[in-house]
Amino acid sequence: YSGPPDRLQRYSVYDQMNYDHEISAALDTIADFATDPDEVTKLPLVIEYNDEPTPSEIQILEKSLGQWVRMNKLSRRLWRMFRSVLVYGDQFFIRDPETFELYWIDPAKVEKVIVNESEGKKIESYFIKDIDLNMKNLVATNQLNKASNAAFGSNSIVFSPPLAGNMNYISGGFGGAGSANYQDGGATTVDAEHIVQLSLTDGMNAAWPFGLSILEQIYKVYKQKELLEDAILIYRIHRAPERRMFFID
């Protein structure tokens, strides 16, 4: 599954819409209200308990949550993560199986996913281009479009197996047919077990397993506004009556 055929082109359109100052301000406002830290814990995330936990359980869980938030720099990154989900409909992260650090992936670098039909279309693996680790900024895709075969060396010190090396394997294979080693057009295969996907999808549209941006609903209005602005500029610059000189014989 690779989503709509124009998915990558839509990302470019979303970027253009994001440059509009009114749309950008609206997205900023939504992200501001949605990612306010908790007044008590000062953390951007809180735990809701189904049952009444013991004081020791609360202390351990909240301490672990605080460590995880600090490790992934969520106090600084969560606002951008949430806002990007609104803009693109998806955000992808590779999760280190040892440290549980989340490394951001550009949605445009995710080519497609492989699903297991025998298990109700369970996602088995993701195909990702231009993987290039940036430990300082917790980023896992190269923004300069370098060759994907220079992604990870065989002596990776960050990702332990199965993420060591160039990650070109699938655990469990396709449809439970055993393990497989697969590369497709320069994309690297990453097991879904090590991918965290934040998505605006309910599975009830053709975009699944990818989400749809909230900007989809205002695209027509945005184009009308853009065309109207162009018409006003053309009128004011090229056809403005006050720029004309009238000659009376």
Side-chain angles (χ1 to χ4, degrees), residues 114-233:
I114 298 295
V115 302
N116 190 337
E117 297 282 355
S118 64
E119 296 188 17
K121 294 190 176 181
K122 176 184 176 183
I123 298 178
E124 293 279 343
S125 55
Y126 290 77
F127 286 75
I128 304 171
K129 299 187 301 182
D130 300 329
I131 292 183
D132 190 10
L133 180 65
N134 185 330
M135 295 175 59
K136 181 178 179 180
N137 295 324
L138 297 179
V139 173
T141 47
N142 187 356
Q143 300 299 296
L144 300 178
N145 296 321
K146 292 199 307 184
S148 62
N149 57 7
F152 291 105
S154 58
N155 297 321
S156 174
I157 61 174
V158 175
F159 288 155
S160 61
L163 288 179
N166 55 10
M167 302 191 295
N168 57 347
Y169 78 100
I170 299 175
S171 176
F174 301 102
S179 61
N181 189 0
Y182 195 85
Q183 287 256 346
D184 181 26
T188 303
T189 310
V190 182
D191 197 307
E193 179 184 358
H194 307 291
I195 295 291
V196 175
Q197 179 181 358
L198 309 178
S199 182
L200 293 178
T201 180
D202 52 12
M204 299 173 65
N205 53 58
W208 185 88
F210 298 94
L212 286 177
S213 169
I214 65 169
L215 301 181
E216 283 283 340
Q217 303 175 14
I218 64 168
Y219 176 71
K220 181 179 179 181
V221 178
Y222 165 75
K223 292 302 293 185
Q224 290 174 338
K225 173 176 173 288
E226 188 179 45
L227 293 173
L228 184 60
E229 290 173 345
D230 292 342
I232 292 174
L233 284 175

Side-chain angles (χ1 to χ4, degrees), residues 46-107:
V46 295
I47 301 176
E48 293 186 359
Y49 301 95
N50 294 327
D51 300 321
E52 187 68 26
T54 63
S56 60
E57 289 176 337
I58 295 177
Q59 183 180 5
I60 293 173
L61 289 173
E62 291 187 350
K63 181 179 179 181
S64 299
L65 176 62
Q67 292 175 345
W68 184 74
V69 166
R70 288 188 294 272
M71 176 181 62
N72 284 294
K73 305 176 183 178
L74 289 186
S75 297
R76 176 174 58 86
R77 299 172 71 202
L78 188 62
W79 185 90
R80 177 62 60 183
M81 291 163 60
F82 183 88
R83 191 182 186 282
S84 297
V85 172
L86 299 179
V87 174
Y88 300 105
D90 288 296
Q91 284 291 277
F92 300 90
F93 300 86
I94 294 180
R95 185 182 64 178
D96 189 313
E98 286 190 348
T99 66
F100 301 108
E101 290 179 320
L102 299 179
Y103 292 82
W104 176 79
I105 302 171
D106 185 350

